[in-house]
Structures are given as structure tokens and as C-alpha cells.
Amino acid sequence: MVLRFCLFLFTCTTVAFPASAEQYLVKSQAEYFAAEKKLRAGDKIILANGIWRDFEIKFSGQGTKSKPITLMAQDVGRVIISGQSNLRIGGKHMLVAGLVFKNGYSPTGEVISFRRSKQDLASFSRVTEVVIDHFNKPDRFESDYWVGMYGRHNRFDHNHLVGKSNKGVTFAVRLDSQESQDNRHRIDHNYFGPRPVLGSNGGETLRIGTSKYSMFNSNTVVENNYFDRCDGEVEIISSKSGGNIYRGNVFYESSGTLTLRHGDGNLVENNIFFGNAKDHTGGIRVINQDQTIRNNYMEGLRGTGFSSALTVMNGVPNSPVNRYVQVNRAIIENNSVVDSARITFNAGADKERSAPPTNSRFAQNLLSGSGDGTFIKIQDDVSGISFVDNIITAGTVEKPVAGIPKQKLVLKRAENGLLYPVGSAIGASRDLRPVTREQVGVSWYPKSPSGDRFGIGQSIAVDPGEDSLTDAFAAAKEGDRLVLSAGEYVVNKILPLDKAVSIEGPAEETAKITFARPSFLEIQEGGSLRLVNIAIDGVLAPDSVGNAVIRTTSFPMQSNFLIHLDGVSVINLDVNKSFHVIALGKSSFADRISIKNSNFSNISGSVLQAAAETEDYGQYNAEYIDVSNSNFKDIGGAAFNIYRGGRDESTFGPHFSLTGSNFWNVGKGGNNANGASMVLHGVQHSDISDNNFLDNAPIKIVHTVGRPQTRISGNKSSKTPAPILEELNYQGAHRAILSANQFEGAAKP
Ligand code: CA
């Protein structure tokens, strides 16, 4: 791509264009707008290298096919658009190349818009080799798009979009006027870099259309893009229009699915899904009419339910446009699904979604589950699907289906990196060539590394004493480990954490931290924390409202964070009535909070408060909460208070796991309004197993929408009532699975 772009630069600095074409090298916004007014076919505006702050670029004109009008960087990667900036493109045959949007956000609803105004839509225009990097609005729940595509015949290719963490789809193709329908856009060879879990609806990476215009064809081609860890929400791509082609894309470790949510006649072919056994990695979800899904390859996917490798939904009879149109005339053939958790037919079947697929064909698919258990679920009538010449080689079908016979096949990895059956042509074709990270985006801007942020820096020894930890912390850099020796550390300031830092004590002796402010540490933008072998004593903390050892900043946070506690003991948080260990505030979101081998005692509040999103919009504070091999004694509040309210079904989390831990006298403080030892409200996956409960308030679990999965097993208790289980939306007995527990009295329904 360097080469391609250099060639491009070369042509524009030579006389390859007619003498009438102007070239404007502009160094200020005033110069830019003066030049922009004069643009004619073949002209170029070159932005001088440097940082352009608060630059709302409008770029419109009448280019021609052979003489586009160009906006480009003097040198690729050296023109940075920052602050409150955006780009609006209008006119015809406009070309934008080589800009980097970072360190800022758009003051409007889009960073790049393919329309200059409602009247001036772009057509035959192209954006290429542009970077948008963490260009997020400060408030994570204030919505925008990074790219809004309007008009017709536009192309967006070889761009690099990474780190959208506020609400709103990364890339939206809009069909909201006739001039934007049947648009023939092309979206290709882009690097869609990691999109972190949003913790709400509105975290899609690509959406084409909306339910309102879903009866119109978009006819957009999405091909050879790389979706790298696009985890925003359950839909990676939400296709809400007709006639689109999704071809040759790679979905790498992305939680969610390519969903044919609304609209008919879409083609999904030659796509590759690599899950690498990550949670909720899915494939393709089929709804509506005349969808063709062929020659796709899925490996290592772990999604189930609506996020299965292949999900064929039940529809709603005479469905309104915003619900689920019955699957009709679907063709699903020559796909390979290997080492994957689930394929689901008739997904979502219920009283409303009672229309099973009709006139459909499922043929010559290679089907191989990740284990011996149920791989193919059939949740209603499949007689409207003809099953022809499929083979299942591992796992079982829930109900016998003629046309999916079990047959042992040996799978062997071919040179293209994909698994194929030895001696059989079933499944995806052998000529698939997954697009690579190197073939997408730009070559001159680094793609996101994977791996652990902790431990990439230096190890720094810190001696005991007053303020020694404070000083070392102030000097710490990203990934540093502060290594404490045995002794006492007094901290007189709240430590502001805006990077990944580990604080580690010795395994055999004790490094004890006391702190003289309402918190020991505050997680701010960019912060993540790892505490290992540390003792924390709240004895010096003042009596102020909202004390917490670890809290989040009161400002909205854009970046998700991690908190890992291993071998940590926390005592004496009792100076007031609700002194917490960890308190997550509004608009803060943890990717994971893990607590293991740790001890908590004499605490008036909670160990974890993750219940700040109380508006019932389906928002919450933490995706994964894992607790193991830990002890909780004399905790006045609910040890864990986790809240996700509302009826939205767009998220996988929260997830909660609690194993091998002991609870004594938890949740019985006079100030605990919940009256529970832990409250899991709207948690989607809960596993509470092999714990001991002695003299505690009950566990309270409230199921809201969707398919919440709760397992409570192998727990022992004394003087602890059975769990309080509630269903808010589901009619019938509580769906939690309880087994081999000893609680006092039966579980309440
Ligand atoms: Ca969604």
C-alpha cells in the first residue's frame, strides 16, 4: 500500500494532469476554505503536514471520472486532524486520502460524512487510506457514527478504523432518502480494528440500512475487510436492507455475528470466521427472505443461541418491519463449520416468533462440533428446510434429521490455513484465501497488538514508608510493576491511575497499604490495575460519603479497564456505613474484574459495586466478574451488587462467576437495602458453584430479558436462606438451574 500511495503522490506532483488543474498546498484553515471554494475537476488540495485542530472540513465539488477532485495529505500519516473535527463530502468524483483523525472527536453526529448537507450528497466519491483512531466523544453514551455513507456509487477502501468506544455504529450506510437507495457502494479492504464491548445496544461495527428503510435495496458490496476483535455488541454487522453482498471478509476473534436483521436477497459468501475459542464468537444469523449463505468457513466459534456459527431464526407471522420476517427461500450451502459450539435452527421460537423457515435448502455443509455434546439445536419445526448431503463429523443433532448423517471424517489443515476433510469435497471450497491483516487498511499506521498490557514495562522496587508508593506511582509508566517489600506504606493522596500499573507485594511476608483519603486509588481514562499480594487496611480513611478503596473517576470514561486482585486482603473499611472495596461509577465500564486468592473482612459496604447504570437502558458497568478461592467475612452490604436493567437484548454480559469461596456474615448490615449477600440483576451468565455460606443474607438473582443462564450448584450453607429468584419478563418458573446445593429450605420460585 505504501507503493500504491507513493505512485499516487507521484502522479499528482507531475504534469500528468492537464494544465488547467490546480494544486493547492494549504497551511491553514483559511487557506483551505479559500481553495475549496474554487475547486474544479482535476484540482487537488494538499493539507500541509502537521496537526490541524478543530477543523470541520467541508469538501464538495464536481469532479469527473477521469479528473476527480482530491483532498490529500502532504505525506501520508503526517497530517493529523485532532480536536473537534470532522469531514463532510459532497458533490461528485471526490477523492480523500491519507488523513489521520486522532486525539479528538466530531462535534456533529459523524466523523466522516458522505454528504455535505442534506441536499448535497456525495456520489462516485472515494475515501481511501484514512485512519480514525479512538476519535470518541467524551461521554460513552453520546451517540455518533465514525462514517456515515450517503448518496450512490461511493467507495470506502483501505482505511483503518480502531477503538470506537462510544455509542453508535462505527460505520453506517444510510438509505434515508431516495438518492441513497440502490446505492452500489463498495466497502473493501478496510481494517476494522478492535471495538471494545460497549455494554449497551449501539456497538455494531457496520450497519447497512435501518428497519424503516429495510424494504429498499441497498446493493452495497462489503468485501475483503478484516474485522479484528469487533466486540461492541451482539451484531458485528447489522444488515438492514436488501441486495447486499458480504464477500471474502475475515472476522477474527469477534464476539457477535453478521446478522441479516432486515431486508431480503442478501448474499453472504466466502467469508472466514476465526473464533479461537473466545466467548460469544459467532457466524451468520439468518432472518427474512431469499438470503444466500454459501462457501463460508467458520472455525473455533463459541457462540450459542442467536450467536451460533449459523443461526436460522423463526419469524413472526405477518411481521411488522421492525420484528422478525419469516425465513423463506434461504439457501445455505457448502459452508464449513468446524470446532464450533453451536448451530441453531428455529432460534427464538416462542409465541410471537412462531413461523418456522419455509422453502429453504441446507446442503453440502461440513458440520463439526467442538465436543461430543449437542452441536445442532432444533427449536421448532424444520420441515420447511430440505437437508441434502450434509455431514456432521463431531457433536450431535438435538433431533434426528434426515440429510445430516453422522460420518467420521479426518480434517487436515491445508496451505490456506483452513481445515478440509480428507477424501471429501464437502463444505467450503479449497480455493478460499482469507484476506490478511497486511492486505487491509494502511501500511503506514500500526495495527492493534494483542496481548497483556500489564508487565510490558519496568519492575520498580518501592521501599516502605510514608508517600514512597505515591512517588513511585507518579513516576510509573504504562505496563510498569511497582514491587513492594514487606512493611507499611502510607498513601496521603488518591492515586490517579491513567495507565496499566501492577502493584505487587511479597508472597510470604506482608506489604500493607493504608490511605488517608476517601480512596486509595482512582481509575481514570486509560487506567487498569493489577494488585498482587497486597494488604490494604482502611483504618486511616476519613469518614466521608462514598468511600471506596478503588473508585472510578466522576468524569465519563471512554476506555474500558481491568481490575485484577490476586492474593489481596482488605480489612477495616468501617469508618462509615457503606465503605466499598471497588465502586464503579456511571459511564465507566470494566472489561473484567477478577478476584482470586483474596480475603475481605470487616467491611461496611460491598466488595464490588457495579450498579451505577440505573436508567434501565440495558447499560451496565462490567462485562466479566470472576471471583474464586476467596474469603468474605463480616461484610455489611451485598458482597457483589451488579445491575443491568431494561429490556434491551444487544449485549452478551454481564457475566458473573463465583467459585471455591467462603462467606461468613455477609449482607446483614443495617444499611443494606437489598437485604441480600449478593445481588445479580439482569446478569446474563451466572455461575455460582462450590462455595460455602455460613450465616449470610440470601443470594438474590433477578432475570430480565433474553436467555439468562444461571447455574447454582454444589454450594453448602448453614443459617443462610435459599436464593431469592425472580423473573421480570418471563412467564413461568425461574429458569436458574440449581443442583446439589444445601440451602436452608427449598429455593423460592
Ligand atoms: Ca444492535
Side-chain angles (χ1 to χ4, degrees):
M1 260 147 283
V2 161
L3 184 64
R4 188 165 57 78
F5 201 84
C6 289
L7 284 172
F8 175 65
L9 271 175
F10 180 72
T11 53
C12 72
T13 51
T14 63
V15 289
F17 290 88
S20 63
E22 294 286 343
Q23 189 165 301
Y24 305 94
L25 174 64
V26 298
K27 295 184 171 140
S28 69
Q29 292 192 31
E31 286 179 22
Y32 173 83
F33 287 114
E36 200 262 345
K37 282 194 184 71
K38 298 186 282 193
L39 289 173
R40 289 176 304 163
D43 287 353
K44 289 184 163 54
I45 303 188
I46 299 169
L47 297 183
N49 290 346
I51 295 171
W52 294 70
R53 274 194 71 81
D54 301 336
F55 188 14
E56 293 195 56
I57 309 170
K58 291 183 174 170
F59 180 56
S60 185
Q62 299 295 318
T64 66
K65 188 171 183 188
S66 60
K67 292 189 210 166
I69 298 174
T70 303
L71 168 62
M72 59 189 295
Q74 185 176 10
D75 292 310
V76 290
R78 294 183 61 194
V79 172
I80 312 297
I81 315 293
S82 75
Q84 294 198 33
S85 299
N86 58 22
L87 166 63
R88 283 179 256 194
I89 307 165
K92 269 194 190 124
H93 293 287
M94 307 298 284
L95 170 61
V96 177
L99 309 181
V100 176
F101 289 84
K102 70 174 184 184
N103 300 326
Y105 61 94
S106 171
T108 59
E110 286 147 348
V111 178
I112 296 177
S113 179
F114 281 78
R115 67 177 187 190
R116 184 182 162 125
S117 65
K118 274 204 162 63
Q119 288 73 40
D120 184 10
L121 310 185
S123 62
F124 299 98
S125 294
R126 179 179 176 199
V127 172
T128 188
E129 300 211 40
V130 164
V131 172
I132 307 179
D133 182 357
H134 290 82
F135 211 68
N136 294 308
K137 290 211 190 307
D139 183 339
R140 68 187 286 125
F141 294 120
E142 191 181 339
S143 183
D144 67 1
Y145 310 142
W146 275 6
V147 182
M149 204 176 227
Y150 303 82
R152 290 198 180 116
H153 299 282
N154 294 315
R155 185 177 179 201
F156 188 85
D157 66 285
H158 294 92
N159 299 290
H160 175 122
L161 276 58
V162 64
K164 189 167 201 289
S165 60
N166 67 314
K167 191 168 179 162
V169 301
T170 308
F171 190 121
V173 176
R174 304 300 312 273
L175 276 66
D176 56 356
S177 70
Q178 202 193 335
E179 293 73 29
S180 293
Q181 293 155 12
D182 185 17
N183 54 58
R184 315 273 160 168
H185 297 318
R186 186 162 173 228
I187 301 165
D188 64 284
H189 294 92
N190 298 292
Y191 176 68
F192 290 101
R195 169 146 204 191
V197 175
L198 178 62
S200 157
N201 189 15
E204 305 88 344
T205 294
L206 173 61
R207 192 188 71 208
I208 301 184
T210 52
S211 59
K212 188 173 172 186
Y213 299 99
S214 60
M215 70 293 283
F216 296 105
N217 281 346
S218 187
N219 294 324
T220 298
V221 175
V222 178
E223 66 183 346
N224 298 329
N225 299 285
Y226 196 97
F227 295 85
D228 183 6
R229 292 163 279 166
C230 293
D231 299 335
E233 60 141 280
V234 297
E235 296 174 298
I236 306 166
I237 296 179
S238 186
S239 186
K240 296 186 167 178
S241 50
N244 299 304
I245 297 174
Y246 302 92
R247 184 164 57 208
N249 302 288
V250 168
F251 298 84
Y252 179 82
E253 292 184 8
S254 292
S255 296
T257 62
L258 192 176
T259 302
L260 301 175
R261 185 65 189 84
H262 301 298
D264 300 334
N266 295 285
L267 171 62
V268 183
E269 66 176 357
N270 305 354
N271 299 286
I272 315 276
F273 297 77
F274 292 122
N276 287 344
K278 183 170 134 182
D279 278 4
H280 310 301
T281 44
I284 300 160
R285 183 154 71 109
V286 184
I287 309 159
N288 310 289
Q289 309 199 58
D290 299 303
Q291 314 286 28
T292 300
I293 291 88
R294 66 184 180 210
N295 208 44
N296 299 286
Y297 178 91
M298 289 102 161
E299 183 181 349
L301 304 184
R302 291 294 176 269
T304 60
F306 288 9
S307 298
S308 302
L310 288 168
T311 307
V312 182
M313 294 280 293
N314 253 26
V316 175
N318 304 309
S319 175
V321 72
N322 65 342
R323 292 299 294 159
Y324 290 85
V325 172
Q326 181 179 25
V327 171
N328 187 23
R329 295 186 298 269
I331 296 169
I332 303 173
E333 61 187 18
N334 292 106
N335 301 288
S336 291
V337 182
V338 300
D339 179 31
S340 290
R342 187 64 42 81
I343 289 171
T344 306
F345 291 98
N346 312 91
D350 60 17
K351 267 195 200 129
E352 185 208 16
R353 287 181 291 228
S354 61
T358 54
N359 307 311
S360 294
R361 178 178 161 84
F362 189 88
Q364 291 173 316
N365 297 292
L366 171 67
L367 309 168
S368 183
S370 53
D372 296 331
T374 303
F375 171 40
I376 302 180
K377 278 215 166 214
I378 296 175
Q379 302 189 311
D380 194 1
D381 176 18
V382 288
S383 62
I385 304 174
S386 58
F387 292 90
V388 183
D389 296 339
N390 303 286
I391 292 177
I392 180 168
T393 75
T396 58
V397 187
E398 194 173 36
K399 298 171 192 164
V401 175
I404 311 185
K406 186 132 189 178
Q407 185 183 329
K408 268 275 168 246
L409 286 174
V410 176
L411 302 182
K412 205 176 157 202
R413 208 168 286 284
E415 254 178 56
N416 63 0
L418 311 182
L419 289 166
Y420 290 92
V422 175
S424 168
I426 195 165
S429 66
R430 302 209 172 222
D431 59 359
L432 277 177
R433 292 288 175 273
V435 69
T436 64
R437 275 162 62 103
E438 291 69 35
Q439 291 169 328
V440 298
V442 298
S443 57
W444 43 265
Y445 201 88
K447 295 190 171 69
S448 300
S450 52
D452 199 348
R453 289 175 65 198
F454 295 111
I456 59 167
Q458 310 276 317
S459 287
I460 297 155
V462 185
D463 291 329
E466 193 150 350
D467 301 325
S468 61
L469 178 56
T470 311
D471 296 342
F473 186 90
K477 299 197 168 54
E478 172 75 15
D480 280 355
R481 295 165 65 230
L482 304 180
V483 181
L484 279 51
S485 45
E488 195 164 336
Y489 295 77
V490 179
V491 175
N492 288 307
K493 285 183 197 167
I494 299 175
L495 303 184
L497 182 65
D498 59 2
K499 54 186 81 72
V501 170
S502 302
I503 304 175
E504 301 182 17
E508 303 300 325
E509 301 165 287
T510 301
K512 182 167 109 173
I513 296 172
T514 56
F515 53 101
R517 303 293 302 144
S519 288
F520 159 52
L521 189 144
E522 178 175 284
I523 298 189
Q524 303 180 350
E525 182 62 36
S528 274
L529 177 67
R530 188 166 156 266
L531 293 180
V532 181
N533 298 331
I534 296 290
I536 296 173
D537 189 329
V539 68
L540 295 185
D543 177 7
S544 52
V545 175
N547 278 8
V549 176
I550 299 164
R551 73 183 188 197
T552 54
T553 169
S554 56
F555 297 101
M557 286 168 72
Q558 298 174 336
S559 301
N560 297 357
F561 54 90
L562 304 167
I563 299 175
H564 294 319
L565 309 185
D566 184 0
V568 170
S569 77
V570 182
I571 58 170
N572 299 331
L573 308 185
D574 61 352
V575 68
N576 61 33
K577 286 179 189 161
S578 58
F579 195 160
H580 308 305
V581 179
I582 301 170
L584 307 184
K586 274 199 74 61
S587 280
S588 75
F589 192 84
D591 276 331
R592 188 176 293 271
I593 294 179
S594 76
I595 298 172
K596 58 185 176 184
N597 310 317
S598 293
N599 298 299
F600 302 87
S601 71
N602 192 26
I603 291 168
S604 62
S606 294
V607 172
L608 172 64
Q609 277 285 335
E613 304 293 353
T614 52
E615 284 97 345
D616 291 348
Y617 296 150
Q619 299 165 356
Y620 52 104
N621 289 122
E623 186 67 9
Y624 286 91
I625 297 142
D626 303 327
V627 182
S628 62
N629 302 323
S630 294
N631 299 306
F632 302 86
K633 186 166 185 292
D634 302 324
I635 314 286
F640 313 104
N641 185 14
I642 302 163
Y643 189 88
R644 179 193 188 280
R647 298 180 58 95
D648 177 73
E649 296 185 54
S650 307
T651 70
F652 291 115
H655 306 71
F656 178 79
S657 161
L658 171 64
T659 60
S661 295
N662 302 302
F663 293 76
W664 296 271
N665 186 32
V666 175
K668 297 172 87 168
N671 214 38
N672 182 14
N674 294 306
S677 57
M678 64 192 77
V679 181
L680 310 181
H681 183 110
V683 172
Q684 297 297 302
H685 299 263
S686 305
D687 180 8
I688 300 173
S689 56
D690 304 320
N691 304 289
N692 296 306
F693 297 95
L694 175 62
D695 198 9
N696 297 285
I699 295 167
K700 183 175 179 184
I701 297 179
V702 181
H703 281 177
T704 57
V705 289
R707 300 163 58 253
Q709 297 180 0
T710 298
R711 186 174 73 117
I712 303 174
S713 71
N715 299 290
K716 294 193 173 72
S717 81
S718 168
K719 293 198 216 165
T720 300
I724 300 167
L725 305 172
E726 292 177 9
E727 289 278 358
L728 290 190
N729 303 107
Y730 177 78
Q731 307 297 319
H734 198 277
R735 291 170 284 178
I737 296 168
L738 285 82
S739 66
N741 299 294
Q742 297 168 5
F743 287 110
E744 294 198 342
K748 291 177 196 163

